[in-house]
Amino acid sequence: MRCSHYFYLCHQKKERIQLNKMTNIPLQILKTYYSISPTEITQMDGYETWNFKIKTKNKKYVLKIYPHSENLQFLNATNAVLEKLSDNFPKNIPAIDGKKIITHEVENEIYHALLLTYLEGDFLGKIKTDASLLESFGFFLGKMDNVLRSLRSPIIEARIQNWDLQHCLMNAPKINLITDHSRRRLVQYFFQEYKETVLPLQYQLRKSIIHSDANDWNVLTQNGKVTAMIDFGDIAYSYLINELAIAIPYAIFGKKNPIEAACAIIKGYHQQLPLEENELDILYYLIAARLCVSLINSTEQQAQHPDNQYITISQKPAWELLEKWITINPFFAKSEFRKTCGYKSNLFTKKENLISQRHRFFSEALSVSYDTPIHFEKAALQYMYAADGNTYLDAYNNIKHVGHCHPKVVNALQRQAANLNTNTRYLYENLTSYADQLLKHFPKKLNKIFFVNSGSAATDLALRIARTHTGNQNMLVMEEGYHGNTSAAIEVSHYKFGHQGGMGEPAFTHTVPTPTIHLQNKLLTKTSWKANILLSLSQASKNGLAGFIAEPILGCAGQMPL
């Protein structure tokens, strides 16, 4: 038996509770309350509970001992649920006096204990799984949930805890314990998507009592089939679909095709308990949320026990799956989940219609990338998701930034849009506070800020400032430079005026050759390159030079550093 509250990841080794001078407690309890004389007592993994495998001449049991702080009402409610399930689940064995939970006192310390049947089988986490076994797993879960759906328990329904996936956002304050920036951002992103995709449906989703911790060390198998399940410590009244969302991640660790493996489990479950379309549509994000909850809590344990290298090792498959999960197009995952259950695929592409509408509503000057344009519907960090189910690594989409839908950026935009959206002509504390923080990153001479809405507007303003300050018009610009789409910006953008469709170099603009292009490709010698620069500078200075504008990294020239 394993205490699921603390079973964060597959194979994670838990600290054993040290019994010290009370090592005879299990024996006292067994003899006093159950009249059992064991031939062998073996301590099993536990954290908040002591778990023991008990052997007699003819039988095996599991003895669970709880600290006095454990909620007796919850234990009784859990036992009541177990009584309604088949013998494929642990059954409570009453004490001699008929009590199902006994209270035992040792040296002024009070404990609660209960005796359970011992279930045979190999843990799912110990064996190699195939599609047949995974389908059997789903079938078992569906059969169990069919029974649980008919049960009600005010005690279980009132319980709120951070491992219940519907309350996963309770774990958000601990995200900063993840020190790796890219991994922390990944967890923040999936929590953001939980808010965007799951919470809007919270009043439409079916709810039920669920096991809520069908990880691979709570699932027993025999002869290629799932035959039993243990540890109802995380039992919850939650979204029904959360049963699968919690079970699937652990079962697909290390799979080359995690969606295919997930579909095998979904298929078996759907045969027993038909899933609804809205449940399947959010399953991709619920699976990610479960991984995030596990990783946040294991990271917390790692911070508390920094010398325990096993925690780091055990996190590896979960991080690998989460990092792989974001590369999977959510529309593709949703489509595969739907098809598995006999529903219509959601994959679509309105490419021809969109192209037609684009020609109808927009100028041909606004070109579309690629001979076969891509229809995108969503993006996440460095990935873009097409409507046809493909995922693209974005190494092209305009100037690189912090990533699509970065959780901090999205949160800041949403928070501000919900509070106030006005121009800079009014007094507003955030405006001056942001300016103060921003200026700390610049030289002291740069002590004034103009907030603008785009790079084009910034270029236009920079030109006005330079020309007003100097009283001159001429600008020195870099070959292949691009600074925006306003008239003023195009006039200093060689990439626009110097190529097909351009108007040619304006009289007040003077272009210098890009060193990276000409020197590295040996189109010019260093001497001739310098001569060209001096010539352009001389021509620009004749009628007064206002300034020089260049990108430190030339984007349109191919992300080329100067």
Side-chain angles (χ1 to χ4, degrees), residues 328-394:
I328 298 170
N329 187 315
F331 300 113
F332 170 74
K334 186 192 302 185
S335 174
E336 293 301 297
F337 296 163
R338 279 172 159 265
K339 289 191 295 184
T340 297
C341 297
Y343 295 117
K344 185 178 179 181
S345 168
N346 67 301
L347 287 184
F348 66 95
T349 176
K350 300 177 180 178
K351 194 176 295 184
E352 297 303 321
N353 186 39
L354 288 173
I355 292 173
S356 174
Q357 289 182 333
R358 188 179 179 98
H359 289 324
R360 178 183 174 189
F361 298 125
F362 299 107
S363 165
E364 291 184 3
L366 298 174
S367 60
V368 180
S369 295
Y370 308 113
D371 294 335
T372 304
I374 306 170
H375 175 190
F376 286 115
E377 282 290 313
K378 192 174 178 64
L381 307 178
Q382 67 267 45
Y383 300 104
M384 297 184 72
Y385 305 126
D388 61 6
N390 285 314
T391 299
Y392 292 82
L393 177 63
D394 184 8

Side-chain angles (χ1 to χ4, degrees), residues 482-496:
Y482 175 72
H483 304 288
N485 57 19
T486 62
S487 295
I490 289 173
E491 289 173 348
V492 294
S493 297
H494 175 267
Y495 177 79
K496 298 298 287 185

Side-chain angles (χ1 to χ4, degrees), residues 186-400:
L186 191 57
V187 172
Q188 289 170 331
Y189 170 77
F190 277 120
F191 269 15
Q192 169 186 289
E193 290 306 297
Y194 181 90
K195 295 177 186 177
E196 295 297 317
T197 61
V198 179
L199 288 186
L201 297 177
Q202 61 183 315
Y203 300 116
Q204 301 172 33
L205 296 170
R206 293 183 293 177
K207 297 190 76 172
S208 170
I209 291 176
I210 61 173
H211 179 282
S212 193
D213 192 21
N215 71 67
D216 48 352
W217 293 99
N218 282 337
V219 180
L220 293 165
T221 68
Q222 291 186 55
N223 302 318
K225 291 185 179 296
V226 170
T227 54
M229 189 174 295
I230 62 173
D231 199 343
F232 278 69
D234 276 351
I235 191 171
Y237 183 73
S238 191
Y239 307 140
L240 179 63
I241 189 62
N242 283 348
E243 192 80 274
L244 279 176
I246 292 166
I248 286 173
Y250 303 97
I252 65 175
F253 280 163
K255 296 292 186 183
K256 290 184 179 179
N257 190 335
I259 296 298
E260 182 179 66
C263 285
I265 301 172
I266 293 167
K267 179 181 178 181
Y269 190 96
H270 187 69
Q271 290 170 4
Q272 271 292 312
L273 205 172
L275 293 159
E276 295 182 353
E277 291 179 75
N278 62 353
E279 294 170 330
L280 294 167
D281 288 348
I282 60 172
L283 183 55
Y284 169 90
Y285 289 108
L286 287 171
I287 290 170
R290 173 61 181 198
L291 285 167
C292 292
V293 170
S294 293
L295 287 163
I296 289 170
N297 284 282
S298 64
T299 300
E300 182 181 36
Q301 284 297 299
Q302 189 178 42
Q304 294 172 0
H305 307 284
D307 296 330
N308 189 341
Q309 294 299 314
Y310 203 88
I311 297 176
T312 303
I313 295 170
S314 68
Q315 286 180 324
K316 185 180 178 182
W319 278 122
E320 287 177 349
L321 179 56
L322 191 65
E323 288 165 349
K324 188 171 188 175
W325 203 248
I326 199 169
T327 70
I328 298 170
N329 187 315
F331 300 113
F332 170 74
K334 186 192 302 185
S335 174
E336 293 301 297
F337 296 163
R338 279 172 159 265
K339 289 191 295 184
T340 297
C341 297
Y343 295 117
K344 185 178 179 181
S345 168
N346 67 301
L347 287 184
F348 66 95
T349 176
K350 300 177 180 178
K351 194 176 295 184
E352 297 303 321
N353 186 39
L354 288 173
I355 292 173
S356 174
Q357 289 182 333
R358 188 179 179 98
H359 289 324
R360 178 183 174 189
F361 298 125
F362 299 107
S363 165
E364 291 184 3
L366 298 174
S367 60
V368 180
S369 295
Y370 308 113
D371 294 335
T372 304
I374 306 170
H375 175 190
F376 286 115
E377 282 290 313
K378 192 174 178 64
L381 307 178
Q382 67 267 45
Y383 300 104
M384 297 184 72
Y385 305 126
D388 61 6
N390 285 314
T391 299
Y392 292 82
L393 177 63
D394 184 8
Y396 178 77
N397 190 48
N398 217 324
I399 304 302
K400 297 299 146 297

